[in-house]
């Protein structure tokens, strides 16, 4: 009996009828709601980002306005007036450096290094003399720096 039922149903195709308008309306309403929700969420994030960017732009514009008015001739004059004592101290230190260097024997040593540099014929010997001289000067400068830090620590409380 199963064979007869199967053979009789073999040639029959099931017929399904759909109302295209109803299906389209149902799908459109579901997809439309999902798209509307996603687009509203995206719109809110874009609006928040745009508002934050606008606030940063307003802040930058205000800062630029303040800075454009900040540097006037009066300001340049004040900076120049404040730099005069620093320049005088640096000039006096430079003037005292040569006699102090002569007293400590640095002058003759630096003159000897320069004479050796100019007399050297090969580029590698000049490079060696320059590196050694600059290394000694750098080490001496670092020693002065560390001594100044030590004195600063000792006399800080005075």
């Amino acid at each position: 009996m199963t064979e007869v039922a199967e053979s009789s149903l073999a040639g029959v195709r099931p017929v399904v009828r759909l109302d295209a308008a109803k299906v389209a309306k149902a799908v459109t309403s579901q997809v439309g709601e999902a798209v509307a929700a996603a687009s509203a969420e995206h719109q809110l994030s874009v609006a928040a980002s745009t508002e934050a960017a606008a606030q940063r732009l307003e802040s930058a514009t205000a800062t630029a306005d303040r800075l454009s008015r900040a540097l006037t001739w009066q300001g340049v004059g004040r900076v120049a007036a404040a730099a005069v004592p620093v320049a005088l101290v640096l000039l006096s230190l430079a003037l005292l450096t040569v006699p102090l260097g002569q007293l400590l024997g640095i002058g003759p040593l630096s003159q000897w290094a320069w004479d050796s540099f100019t007399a050297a014929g090969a580029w590698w010997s000049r490079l060696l003399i320059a590196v050694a001289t600059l290394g000694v000067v750098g080490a001496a400068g670092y020693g002065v720096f560390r001594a100044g830090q030590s004195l600063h620590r000792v006399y800080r409380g005075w």
Side-chain angles (χ1 to χ4, degrees), residues 103-129:
L103 286 175
L104 296 175
I106 296 172
L109 288 176
S110 63
Q111 185 62 41
W112 170 78
W114 180 253
D115 291 340
S116 299
F117 181 81
T118 56
W123 65 270
W124 57 269
S125 61
R126 284 186 176 200
L127 180 66
L128 183 64
I129 292 169

Side-chain angles (χ1 to χ4, degrees), residues 136-146:
V136 168
V137 169
Y142 182 73
V144 169
F145 173 72
R146 294 296 292 186

Side-chain angles (χ1 to χ4, degrees), residues 21-87:
K22 288 182 182 178
V23 171
K25 186 176 181 181
V27 170
T28 305
S29 68
Q30 290 175 357
V31 171
E33 290 173 4
V35 168
S39 115
E41 182 180 323
H42 182 68
Q43 181 183 8
L44 289 176
S45 75
V46 168
S49 298
T50 305
E51 188 173 328
Q55 288 175 352
R56 286 194 303 262
L57 182 61
E58 287 175 10
S59 172
T61 303
T63 302
D65 287 342
R66 280 195 320 268
L67 289 176
S68 68
R69 293 187 307 260
L71 189 60
T72 61
W73 285 109
Q74 184 181 11
V76 171
R78 286 181 181 172
V79 169
V84 168
V86 174

Side-chain angles (χ1 to χ4, degrees), residues 75-93:
V76 171
R78 286 181 181 172
V79 169
V84 168
V86 174
L88 290 176
V89 167
L90 290 176
L91 179 64
S92 61
L93 284 176

